[in-house]
Structures are given as structure tokens and as C-alpha cells.
Amino acid sequence: MKRTHVESGPASMLARAALGIGALTVVSGASQAAAPGLVLKLVGAENSPATRQLFGTVGMFMTITGGLLTHSMLCRKSMRLTLFWSVVQKAGAVGAVAIGVHRGVFARRALAVAAFDLLSAAVLAAGLGATMLPKHERTQQ
């Protein structure tokens, strides 16, 4: 992976934030995939074989999505596409957690997870602006 020069200013801050969000998504997804029962206990949800399987599967998808975002930010290739789908994933996670809390599947403290994903989605959406694109991608549009 060749890393290109990162510009300074707001675009650079958004790029670093997106890189951090990607890395945190990998870590949290891998944790959820590896130990779904522990994560379910932490968010106050039912801890059954079915919920552990589902949570582990969701954790796997989080790991992949976070890895895509992290890799894309390091390589600075196809960033708009990766950022767009990362925003969609984060927004979907907000909705899924909120529905889970509303239905009583998760305790209200799980809304902290949704709040992080909502903030992440907002930061990533801000990165979709043209100022975050590398110069070669800006000139091709």
C-alpha cells in the first residue's frame, strides 16, 4: 500500500477522522465477532445462541466495512465510493440499534453505540465533499 501525501486543513482532519472511524469499526466489529456474548451483556440484550450468532455475523460485516474504509483512506483510492457506503453502514447501524432499543431488545445504554455511529456518519458524510478528494479525482469529475 502506497500512501500519498495528505493535504492539510479541514480535508486533512476529515481524512484522519475517517481513518480513525474505520480503524475503530474494525476493532469493535472484530470484538463483536469474537465475543458476541460479552458485547450482548454490555449492551443489556438477550444472550442466546441465536443472538450470539446474529451479533457475531454483524460484527464480521462491521470488520469488513471498517477494513474497507481504513484501507481506502490509507491508499487514497476510490474514497468517495467507500465513504458513501460507510455512511450508509453507519446510518443503518443507528437505525438498527434505535429499533432494538425501542423494541426492548437492547437496554437504553445501547444508544451510546448509536450515538457514536451517528457522529461517525456525520463526519464521513462531511468527507464526501470535494475538498477531501485527492487532486487527481477532483479533476476527473
Side-chain angles (χ1 to χ4, degrees), residues 10-59:
S12 177
M13 290 188 332
L14 287 170
R16 284 193 301 270
L19 180 62
I21 289 166
L24 284 172
T25 302
V26 168
V27 170
S28 62
S31 299
Q32 186 171 317
L38 175 62
V39 178
L40 286 165
K41 185 177 179 181
L42 290 172
V43 298
E46 175 189 338
N47 191 347
S48 67
T51 57
R52 286 190 299 275
Q53 176 64 42
L54 179 61
F55 235 53
T57 302
V58 170

Side-chain angles (χ1 to χ4, degrees), residues 56-77:
T57 302
V58 170
M60 179 267 304
F61 283 111
M62 289 173 59
T63 304
I64 292 169
T65 302
L68 171 65
L69 177 58
T70 302
H71 189 180
S72 177
M73 296 311 298
L74 289 172
C75 293
R76 309 283 291 178
K77 301 214 188 256

Side-chain angles (χ1 to χ4, degrees), residues 130-141:
T131 59
M132 192 166 176
L133 292 174
K135 286 181 183 174
H136 74 277
E137 285 189 31
R138 275 185 261 157
T139 57
Q140 292 174 356
Q141 293 186 349

